[in-house]
Amino acid sequence: MNKQTLMTALKWVASGLISLFLLGLLLGSCLFFYYVSKAPELSESKLVATTSSKIYDSQNNLIADLGSEKRVNVTTDQIPTDLVNAIVAIEDHRFFNHRGVDSIRIIGSIFNNILKRSNGLQGGSTLTQQLIKLTYFSTSKADQTVSRKAQEAWLAFQLERTATKQQILTYYVNKVYMSNGNYGMQTAAQSFYGKDLKDLSLPQLALLAGMPQAPNQYDPYSQPEAALQRRNLVLSEMYQLKYITAEQYEQAINTPVTDGLQSLKNSASYPAYMDNYLKQVIEQVEKETGYNLLTTGMEVYTNVNTDAQKKLWDIYNTGDYVAYPDDEMQVASTVMDVQTGKVIAQLGSRNQSTNVSFGTNQAVETNRDFGSTMKPITDYAPALENEVYTSTAAPITDAPYNFPYSSTPVYNWDKKYYGGMTIQYAIQESRNVPAVKTLEAVGLKQSLKFLNKIGINYPEMHYSNAISSNTNKSGNEYGASSEKMAAAYAAFANGGTYYKPQYVNRIVFSDGTEKVFSNEGSRAMKETTAYMMTDMMKTVLTSGTGTNAAISGVYQAGKTGTSNYADDELTKLTKPYYGSSIVTPDELFVGYTPQYSMAVWTGYSNRFTPVLDDGVKVATDVYRSMMTFLNTNGNEDWEQPNGVYRVGYYLYLNGSNPYRYYIQPSSTSEESSSSEEESSSSSSESSTTSESSSSSTSNPQESKPQTNNGQR
């Protein structure tokens, strides 16, 4: 090919590329203008509007009007310079240099994300775009579309054309939610400090500036450590941008985050007994729709049964139902409709502060051990599901035994062994050795597969999880909570279908559109498995460790649970315990009827404050009181499904031989490699739990409490 031909070809290629570029630019422009043509109309009324979301119970009765609280707005000249600098420092460094959309910021954000160098301070959105998002759009990932981004950018650009930077900042300062029912930073200043913004110190202003991204997470009243870190991060950014001197910075970061905080006054527009439930409503709405109902006006129809929620509050906070050992003992529980997954009542603590809104809800936290309540779902149900056992009369031996592939012994709560028994009796008396043997027979992978179907997960499955929900990773995605356990046991109650816990039924948005929350459920186990587990757990209440939870005339099933301290932890306990037969950080009960499931955790906020003999019945007392209220007219028993038959006190799968039952433990390399923690960390097993002594079996006779005695 000669030079002239080559040059001609290159010209044609260049022309083609330019044409394609121009065509792409034209099409992109057309698409952009198509998107923005559907953007909402920019209006000052929306930018300054007081947002109000109305929340209704399951009977469509109004229970909360979030956002109706008093708001105190500021004018531009009332906003101190330090607050402006703090907001710009943490939210948008180039705020005064862009026109609503910052291409440099976007490119920098992309570059940092690619290189994983982002420190989380700066995203691609400008402060103006954040204001637009707060006013008009959802934050849901599903809504992070090209169309939405185009509209957001267009409205931000239009706002920058019609409003000054000072006005935009003023809209933002008055718009943001600041926790505890406070909307706008001036409202928060008066609520937190009893002062106007102009009278606050530098560290106080820095705290307020940092809160809007996660107001409940950075609440200085309920989350002081997180609030301190966020405030200091704002101050650091201000120093880096030379908004403050080194001396100012040092003085500010050394100021306590609680400096100047006054006691909060209860300004909530809803009753205190609804606080925990409403927190979960807010979280579900944002997770499912991307909208924060604290900043976006909507009508939310929930699944809460107001009468049941009130009753649960009374059970917790009066002496009419339960004899609590002291005011500090805590309770967390969840009540669920087993046929739908609807959470009808939930409360995370006793004697809650009525001044702090949407604080920690222990009912959904997984940081405490659910002990032997894990046995039915981790060990026995997977064994029945995989036909390791084909009868509730399947034999197993309670005898000295080590965690698989280790030299660590498995102890029962009483340090005794009962010899041969059925798995039904093993559940009834909550024997640990049979539980661990059963998990070994099932296999860790099969057990975890089963647990995943009912909403329980672990980062890594261990044999100690046969009798404990402890994990080596934090985060509510792992382990157990009252919410998760109520949902898991509900699958036993309804014949094997798992329903994800659901707080919201329906949402009506401000434009009249609505979203209905459906909950179809998923098959988690065979109907025969669910029925056989229920039949065995009935005996826990009739003659086993949970007789204190029994209610005359009510068909129900359930399981007790207790956790223990390791030997080296006993020296750290906060109160004397000698003379008590039970010394535990967590006492639990999970039970259900054909209509409702309920999971109850009891203990102290400080794990090293033990539950002793006088507190071990609290969990079953709470459960019994609540279930009595829900079943005032009694209930009907479960119907035996096809696929099982009864002989005497026991159930058998069709086709099974009622005279021959045995266990064949798994010996695969997969199980061996997954059990290393038993040999390397004896503390996990030695801190296994013991059951409360409500059974007919003998209690320990030692003068000191039983430790390292397994789950019960």
Side-chain angles (χ1 to χ4, degrees):
M1 182 181 295
N2 59 38
K3 184 177 180 180
Q4 185 176 357
T5 303
L6 179 61
M7 291 299 296
T8 302
L10 290 173
K11 288 180 181 179
W12 278 105
V13 171
S15 297
L17 291 174
I18 293 171
S19 298
L20 287 174
F21 173 77
L22 293 174
L23 180 61
L25 187 63
L26 177 62
L27 292 175
S29 299
C30 292
L31 188 62
F32 175 80
F33 284 108
Y34 171 75
Y35 289 149
V36 301
S37 68
K38 298 182 177 295
E41 183 180 352
L42 187 68
S43 71
E44 186 177 18
S45 61
K46 283 201 176 279
L47 292 168
V48 301
T50 297
T51 303
S52 178
S53 289
K54 292 180 171 59
I55 317 297
Y56 300 87
D57 67 7
S58 59
Q59 299 300 310
N60 298 334
N61 299 310
L62 182 68
I63 56 175
D65 190 354
L66 302 180
S68 64
E69 296 87 348
K70 178 181 178 182
R71 301 191 191 206
V72 183
N73 289 339
V74 291
T75 58
T76 301
D77 63 332
Q78 295 172 323
I79 302 175
T81 301
D82 280 341
L83 179 60
V84 173
N85 291 338
I87 294 171
V88 170
I90 195 65
E91 298 292 351
D92 188 354
H93 290 179
R94 289 176 40 81
F95 175 70
F96 291 104
N97 298 316
H98 61 68
R99 300 302 298 172
V101 179
D102 189 354
S103 57
I104 296 175
R105 182 182 175 93
I106 294 172
I107 294 171
S109 177
I110 294 172
F111 181 76
N112 285 330
N113 287 334
I114 292 174
L115 298 180
K116 298 183 178 181
R117 288 169 49 186
S118 175
N119 58 9
L121 298 181
Q122 299 283 312
S125 295
T126 64
L127 187 65
T128 311
Q129 287 175 284
Q130 292 180 46
L131 175 62
I132 293 296
K133 188 183 299 181
L134 276 174
T135 306
Y136 294 100
F137 297 116
S138 153
T139 58
S140 169
K141 288 185 178 180
D143 287 340
Q144 302 302 307
T145 61
V146 175
S147 172
R148 221 294 311 280
K149 284 294 184 182
Q151 294 175 10
E152 181 185 293
W154 175 255
L155 289 175
F157 179 72
Q158 293 300 314
L159 180 58
E160 292 268 1
R161 290 181 59 192
T162 59
T164 66
K165 293 289 187 179
Q166 290 74 21
Q167 287 174 315
I168 293 171
L169 272 168
T170 303
Y171 292 143
Y172 179 84
V173 167
N174 289 328
K175 190 82 171 177
V176 292
Y177 179 66
M178 297 295 291
S179 83
N180 297 301
N182 297 299
Y183 293 80
M185 294 185 183
Q186 173 73 346
T187 312
Q190 294 185 353
S191 177
F192 293 0
Y193 304 108
K195 299 178 180 179
D196 294 331
L197 284 172
K198 63 182 177 60
D199 299 319
L200 298 187
S201 66
L202 173 62
Q204 291 169 344
L205 292 170
L207 173 63
L208 296 183
M211 289 184 64
Q213 288 299 323
N216 293 325
Q217 180 181 334
Y218 302 131
D219 180 3
Y221 292 94
S222 62
Q223 305 289 339
E225 292 185 5
L228 176 65
Q229 293 176 0
R230 181 66 171 176
R231 185 204 68 179
N232 289 350
L233 185 59
V234 175
L235 292 168
S236 176
E237 290 296 300
M238 294 179 73
Y239 176 63
Q240 293 295 325
L241 294 171
K242 301 185 184 315
Y243 288 141
I244 56 177
T245 66
E247 183 180 358
Q248 288 176 303
Y249 172 70
E250 289 297 329
Q251 184 178 355
I253 65 170
N254 289 312
T255 301
V257 75
T258 56
D259 180 58
L261 285 179
Q262 63 178 12
S263 298
L264 281 174
K265 297 179 180 179
N266 185 15
S267 61
S269 60
Y270 56 87
Y273 60 79
M274 283 293 182
D275 186 82
N276 288 155
Y277 196 99
L278 290 176
K279 180 182 181 182
Q280 302 314 122
V281 169
I282 293 168
E283 291 187 3
Q284 186 177 2
V285 169
E286 186 158 13
K287 183 178 181 180
E288 297 289 340
T289 71
Y291 288 101
N292 185 336
L293 61 80
L294 295 171
T295 57
T296 306
M298 60 183 74
E299 293 181 350
V300 181
Y301 296 84
T302 73
N303 297 320
V304 68
N305 180 321
T306 298
D307 291 338
Q309 187 72 12
K310 286 181 180 177
K311 178 60 66 172
L312 194 60
W313 177 272
D314 289 342
I315 293 170
Y316 276 32
N317 296 290
T318 71
D320 299 338
Y321 305 92
V322 179
Y324 296 98
D326 51 56
D327 289 339
E328 285 69 45
M329 188 176 194
Q330 289 300 325
V331 184
S333 62
T334 300
V335 186
M336 183 177 295
D337 184 326
V338 304
Q339 302 298 334
T340 63
K342 295 179 178 180
V343 178
I344 68 166
Q346 184 181 84
L347 200 59
S349 65
R350 299 175 61 224
N351 303 318
Q352 292 181 350
S353 171
T354 58
N355 295 329
V356 177
S357 300
F358 314 131
T360 300
N361 179 9
Q362 187 61 44
V364 300
E365 297 294 320
T366 61
N367 58 346
R368 303 302 286 261
D369 187 8
F370 268 71
S372 289
T373 62
M374 303 306 297
K375 292 175 182 175
I377 59 177
T378 305
D379 311 325
Y380 296 104
L384 290 172
E385 186 73 4
N386 292 280
E387 298 190 12
V388 173
Y389 303 132
T390 57
S391 170
T392 59
I396 197 164
T397 302
D398 182 19
Y401 168 79
N402 294 337
F403 282 95
Y405 314 104
S406 82
S407 59
T408 304
V410 179
Y411 293 111
N412 290 307
W413 73 275
D414 52 4
K415 292 284 186 76
K416 298 178 181 180
Y417 303 98
Y418 290 179
M421 62 182 62
T422 63
I423 61 169
Q424 178 166 296
Y425 190 77
I427 292 174
Q428 173 187 313
E429 301 302 327
S430 198
R431 309 306 289 173
N432 290 342
V433 171
V436 181
K437 284 184 175 181
T438 298
L439 179 57
E440 183 183 15
V442 172
L444 298 177
K445 281 190 175 180
Q446 286 299 320
S447 176
L448 185 58
K449 182 179 179 181
F450 182 90
L451 288 169
N452 288 164
K453 291 181 179 181
I454 54 174
I456 305 291
N457 193 24
Y458 295 103
E460 186 178 5
M461 191 79 177
H462 302 298
Y463 284 109
S464 57
N465 291 129
I467 53 179
S468 169
S469 65
N470 284 331
T471 84
N472 57 5
K473 288 190 178 180
S474 60
N476 290 343
E477 66 268 31
Y478 301 120
S481 64
S482 77
E483 177 197 59
K484 289 186 178 185
M485 295 301 284
Y489 274 58
F492 292 142
N494 65 36
T497 300
Y498 171 74
Y499 292 97
K500 188 177 180 180
Q502 184 173 308
Y503 300 86
V504 180
N505 182 44
R506 179 169 64 96
I507 297 174
V508 179
F509 298 99
S510 58
D511 62 358
T513 61
E514 67 176 48
K515 176 180 176 64
V516 178
F517 289 70
S518 60
N519 199 357
E520 299 297 331
S522 58
R523 174 60 60 178
M525 70 190 82
K526 292 177 286 190
E527 190 176 6
T528 54
T529 298
Y531 187 79
M532 294 170 80
M533 288 302 306
T534 295
D535 200 65
M536 290 192 289
M537 284 192 282
K538 282 182 177 180
T539 68
V540 174
L541 285 85
T542 58
S543 55
T545 59
T547 55
N548 190 54
I551 305 169
S552 178
V554 176
Y555 294 98
Q556 54 183 339
K559 184 69 185 74
T560 54
T562 309
S563 69
N564 258 10
Y565 295 104
D567 284 339
D568 62 349
E569 292 181 318
L570 292 176
T571 60
K572 304 176 184 178
L573 301 188
T574 63
K575 65 181 180 181
Y577 58 86
Y578 291 110
S580 179
S581 63
I582 295 292
V583 182
T584 174
D586 312 285
E587 186 73 21
L588 313 113
F589 188 79
V590 185
Y592 57 93
T593 69
Q595 294 81 35
Y596 303 105
S597 64
M598 182 177 185
V600 184
W601 166 87
T602 62
Y604 291 86
S605 299
N606 182 352
R607 184 176 173 275
F608 291 102
T609 301
V611 178
L612 305 177
D613 280 342
D614 56 352
V616 296
K617 291 185 176 182
V618 169
T620 48
D621 284 343
V622 170
Y623 171 87
R624 188 186 64 253
S625 300
M626 191 65 192
M627 281 299 189
T628 299
F629 171 77
L630 294 172
N631 296 275
T632 54
N633 299 318
N635 62 0
E636 296 183 358
D637 198 1
W638 287 270
E639 293 185 6
Q640 183 172 307
N642 296 326
V644 296
Y645 65 96
R646 183 179 296 277
V647 178
Y649 295 107
Y650 302 104
L651 294 171
Y652 301 82
L653 288 176
N654 288 353
S656 63
N657 185 340
Y659 302 104
R660 296 182 64 185
Y661 296 97
Y662 62 95
I663 304 174
Q664 293 182 323
S666 169
S667 60
T668 65
S669 59
E670 170 244 318
E671 307 301 343
S672 179
S673 65
S674 300
S675 64
E676 296 177 354
E677 87 287 355
E678 271 76 54
S679 60
S680 63
S681 176
S682 63
S683 64
S684 174
E685 287 75 25
S686 34
S687 65
T688 53
T689 63
S690 65
E691 292 298 332
S692 58
S693 56
S694 59
S695 72
S696 59
T697 62
S698 60
N699 294 326
Q701 298 301 311
E702 291 97 350
S703 60
K704 293 183 179 181
Q706 297 293 318
T707 61
N708 302 343
N709 56 0
Q711 311 286 343
R712 207 202 72 137

